[in-house]
């Protein structure tokens, strides 16, 4: 039994790691075989391509577990900007990206580099991280969704068409589309190579996304291309192959008529008002 499990991951040895309020537990053949960090509240777990296990905690900094050894990186030893670590990602070059409550951190195997509001973040909290097929880093904060192409940060908000600025998850699919979960459903964001918005589509109750409010980092891209989302009303599966556009032909409603671009008293010409908008007959 685990006390409030919040993080799950499978490493290269097919071991299951469960992060919870009382540390990290390793499962092999459904049996607990190892316990790490007792009495430490684990927030996130991430196995990287080099076989290391990265562990984010609530208030105890970052841990790296490799070759049965634990190494701790904290604000006190100058490696991290803060001790609350929420998320991880690994880019195409093997760099580890770490989302914290005080900015996003890049670890290149030797050094830690922090990006914060001074570098262009709209907010210092970084909740989840995803890497798109082009290598861009995507993450969300409390105020916006952000994209980093290695040179500059671009933010996306309701002003760009998102349903909400309150995001809980972000995920890039194999086509480079960005899926953003919020308190108002799911947004599918498409951008060009420079990061300019091409389109935004919102999935909410009317589109079949009945969960509406998403849970933090609760998203999975399966091998068949389907996306799984965790919501306050259960798990929802999205199958892109069955996303058929439904053409909606808008009705035409004439609300007013002008003569030479000026408001006209049609009664003066003997016309009678008709309909809701008092149009001349």
């Amino acid at each position: 039994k685990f006390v409030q499990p919040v993080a799950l991951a499978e490493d290269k040895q097919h071991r299951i790691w469960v992060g919870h309020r009382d540390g990290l537990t390793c499962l092999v053949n459904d049996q607990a075989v190892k316990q790490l960090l007792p009495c430490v509240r684990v927030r996130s777990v991430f196995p990287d391509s080099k076989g290391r296990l990265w562990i984010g905690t609530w208030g105890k900094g970052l841990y790296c577990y490799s070759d049965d050894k634990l190494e701790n990186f904290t604000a006190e030893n100058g490696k991290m900007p803060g001790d609350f670590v929420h998320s991880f990602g690994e880019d195409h070059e093997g760099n580890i990206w770490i989302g914290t409550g005080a900015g996003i951190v890049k670890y290149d195997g030797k050094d830690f580099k922090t990006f914060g509001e001074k570098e262009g973040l709209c907010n210092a909290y970084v909740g989840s991280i995803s890497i798109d097929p082009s290598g861009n880093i995507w993450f969300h904060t409390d105020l916006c969704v952000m994209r980093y192409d290695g040179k500059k940060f671009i933010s996306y908000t309701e002003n760009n068409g998102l349903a909400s600025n309150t995001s809980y998850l972000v995920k890039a699919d194999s086509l480079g589309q960005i899926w953003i979960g919020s308190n108002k459903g799911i947004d599918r964001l498409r951008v060009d190579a420079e990061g300019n918005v091409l389109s935004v589509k919102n999935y909410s109750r009317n589109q079949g996304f009945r969960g509406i409010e998403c849970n933090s980092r609760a998203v999975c891209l399966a091998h068949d291309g389907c996306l799984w989302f965790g919501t306050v009303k259960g798990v929802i599966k999205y199958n892109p192959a069955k996303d058929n556009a439904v053409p909606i032909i808008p009705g035409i409603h004439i609300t007013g008529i002008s003569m030479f671009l000026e408001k006209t008293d049609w009664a003066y010409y003997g016309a009678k008002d008709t309909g809701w908008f008092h149009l001349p007959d």
Side-chain angles (χ1 to χ4, degrees):
K1 296 182 179 179
F2 307 108
V3 181
Q4 295 186 10
V6 295
L8 292 167
E10 181 182 12
D11 63 19
K12 287 187 174 182
Q13 298 173 311
H14 304 297
R15 298 177 297 185
I16 303 298
W17 294 89
V18 183
H20 46 86
R21 289 181 63 91
D22 192 26
L24 186 68
T25 302
C26 178
L27 301 178
V28 177
N29 297 326
D30 301 331
Q31 299 295 320
V33 299
K34 190 185 296 289
Q35 177 77 22
L36 300 177
L37 304 175
C39 300
V40 174
R41 184 177 174 183
V42 173
R43 175 75 168 165
S44 53
V45 184
F46 179 74
D48 68 13
S49 61
K50 297 179 177 63
R52 299 171 298 192
L53 187 69
W54 296 91
I55 307 162
T57 73
W58 186 267
K60 298 295 183 180
L62 168 70
Y63 285 86
C64 179
Y65 181 65
S66 179
D67 298 326
D68 292 325
K69 295 180 181 179
L70 271 171
E71 188 174 4
N72 188 209
F73 306 98
T74 65
E76 185 177 354
N77 61 33
K79 300 297 184 180
M80 301 294 291
D83 291 333
F84 294 84
V85 179
H86 308 295
S87 54
F88 297 99
E90 183 175 2
D91 64 23
H92 299 171
E93 297 176 355
N95 299 308
I96 304 300
W97 292 84
I98 305 148
T100 77
I104 189 169
V105 180
K106 175 185 177 182
Y107 177 65
D108 61 7
K110 295 181 180 180
D111 301 312
F112 291 88
K113 182 178 180 180
T114 300
F115 301 87
E117 293 176 272
K118 291 182 179 180
E119 288 72 33
L121 272 65
C122 62
N123 184 259
Y125 168 81
V126 176
S128 62
I129 300 173
S130 186
I131 318 297
D132 70 20
S134 298
N136 300 302
I137 315 300
W138 290 85
F139 57 95
H140 76 79
T141 76
D142 281 341
L143 299 178
C144 70
V145 172
M146 302 215 71
R147 173 186 185 265
Y148 180 61
D149 62 1
K151 298 180 180 179
K152 65 180 182 297
F153 291 93
I154 300 177
S155 62
Y156 303 88
T157 66
E158 294 175 3
N159 295 331
N160 301 104
L162 300 185
S164 174
N165 290 338
T166 306
S167 302
Y168 298 131
L169 61 86
V170 60
K171 187 69 174 178
D173 65 17
S174 59
L175 299 177
Q177 302 175 127
I178 309 304
W179 297 84
I180 303 162
S182 70
N183 60 332
K184 295 183 180 179
I186 292 288
D187 288 317
R188 184 185 66 193
L189 173 66
R190 290 173 174 166
V191 300
D192 61 19
E194 287 72 39
N196 301 307
V197 176
L198 298 176
S199 67
V200 180
K201 181 177 180 179
N202 177 256
Y203 295 81
S204 191
R205 182 178 289 107
N206 292 337
Q207 291 75 34
F209 194 82
R210 299 177 182 177
I212 304 300
E213 184 171 354
C214 297
N215 290 330
S216 297
R217 308 185 312 280
V219 59
C220 174
L221 177 61
H223 69 280
D224 58 1
C226 292
L227 281 158
W228 294 78
F229 300 99
T231 76
V232 296
K233 293 186 178 180
V235 178
I236 295 178
K237 175 185 177 182
Y238 166 76
N239 185 349
K242 295 186 177 182
D243 189 346
N244 299 317
V246 179
I248 299 176
I249 302 176
I252 297 176
H253 301 279
I254 300 176
T255 60
I257 299 177
S258 298
M259 181 182 291
F260 300 113
L261 305 180
E262 296 182 357
K263 186 176 180 180
T264 304
D265 180 8
W266 295 106
Y268 176 81
Y269 297 99
K272 297 180 180 180
D273 284 348
T274 62
W276 179 265
F277 296 106
H278 306 290
L279 301 176
D281 59 353

